[in-house]
Amino acid sequence: MICRNRVGRACLAIALLVTLSRVARAQTAADVFPLEPEDGVTVGVRPTFRIGASGTDLPKLKFRIVLSGDGFDTEAYVFDQLEDADGWVYSALGGEFGALYRVKKPLEDGEYEWRAEVWNGIEWLRGDTVYRLTVDGVPPADVEGLRMEVDHDRGGVVLDWDAVTTDRNGRPEYVRLYHVYRYERRSFFFVIRPFEIATTEGTHYVDRDPEALDTSLVFYKITAEDEAGNEPERRY
C-alpha cells in the first residue's frame, strides 16, 4: 500500500488497525483438547464428541474434529463446524467450555485416533492431545438357553440364561448388561405388548410382579447390550 502525507498516515493507521484486529482474533484461542469419548473406549457408530477449549471470547470459536486410522497420514473423517454447523452445540459441562458434536452418518467399524482443532479467526489451531477409540456397530449375539421356573412359595418367575460371549459376527464380545422384556396378551386378538421390566449385569433375574403370575399367557425375551450400546433388534 503506497500513501502520502495525511492520506498516507490514514492508510497506515487503517493497515495497523487491520493487523491488530487479526492478532486479537488469533489470541482468542489458547488451546483445544478432546474430552469425550475418553481415550481407549469403544463407541457405537453415531458417537457424540465433546471437546474443550481455553482462551478468551470463547463463544465465538469454531471447532473441527479429525479422525484417522493411520496416525493422521490420511483423514478418515473430518467434522468442520465452519463448513456445516448442523450437529454442533456449544457446551459448558463441568465448567469446561467447548462444544459437542453428534455424528449424523454412521461411522465404519474400526480403530481410530481423533483430535480437536479450533478456528482462531485466521487459521486452525491443532490440539496436541490425541485420543484413541474403537467404533463397534455389531450387536451381541442373541441370548440362548433361556430357562423359566415359577416360584410359587416366594411368588415370582425365575429366569436364567446362558452368558453371551460373542457378537453377531462370532467375534469375542464384552456384554455390559442384559435387558429383560416381558410380553403379555392384552386382547382377544392376541396383541402382544412388550415391557422392559429390568436390566441386570448377570444372567439371572426374578420377576416378582404379581401381574406376571396373574396373566394367562406371558413371554420373556432377554437381549444383551455391549459397551458401545449395541443391542439386537427385538422380534415379537
Side-chain angles (χ1 to χ4, degrees), residues 151-212:
D151 186 347
H152 295 284
D153 296 334
R154 290 181 293 179
V157 179
V158 181
L159 301 172
D160 291 282
W161 56 91
D162 298 337
V164 174
T165 58
T166 62
D167 65 13
R168 281 280 178 85
N169 294 337
R171 300 176 302 184
E173 178 72 284
Y174 171 76
V175 171
R176 187 172 69 91
L177 55 82
Y178 294 91
H179 297 266
V180 182
Y181 296 92
R182 188 172 67 221
Y183 298 76
E184 301 169 4
R185 186 171 67 179
R186 290 290 185 173
S187 75
F188 176 79
F189 296 101
F190 203 69
V191 176
I192 299 177
R193 297 176 56 193
F195 298 88
E196 182 177 46
I197 60 175
T199 60
T200 176
E201 295 181 359
T203 58
H204 175 85
Y205 180 74
V206 180
D207 184 6
R208 300 193 185 281
D209 188 339
E211 190 172 355

Side-chain angles (χ1 to χ4, degrees), residues 26-32 54-56 58 61 118 125:
Q27 291 175 338
T28 59
D31 192 16
V32 61
S54 61
T56 58
L58 295 175
L61 299 178
V118 62
L125 174 66

Side-chain angles (χ1 to χ4, degrees), residues 34-44 47 49 110-115 129-136 174 227-228:
L35 293 173
E36 295 177 2
E38 296 180 354
D39 188 35
V41 304
T42 299
V43 299
F49 290 90
E111 305 284 337
Y112 297 95
E113 294 175 308
W114 74 280
R115 69 172 183 239
T129 304
V130 174
Y131 278 0
R132 298 167 293 108
L133 63 82
T134 300
V135 175
D136 177 13
Y174 171 76
E227 58 183 334

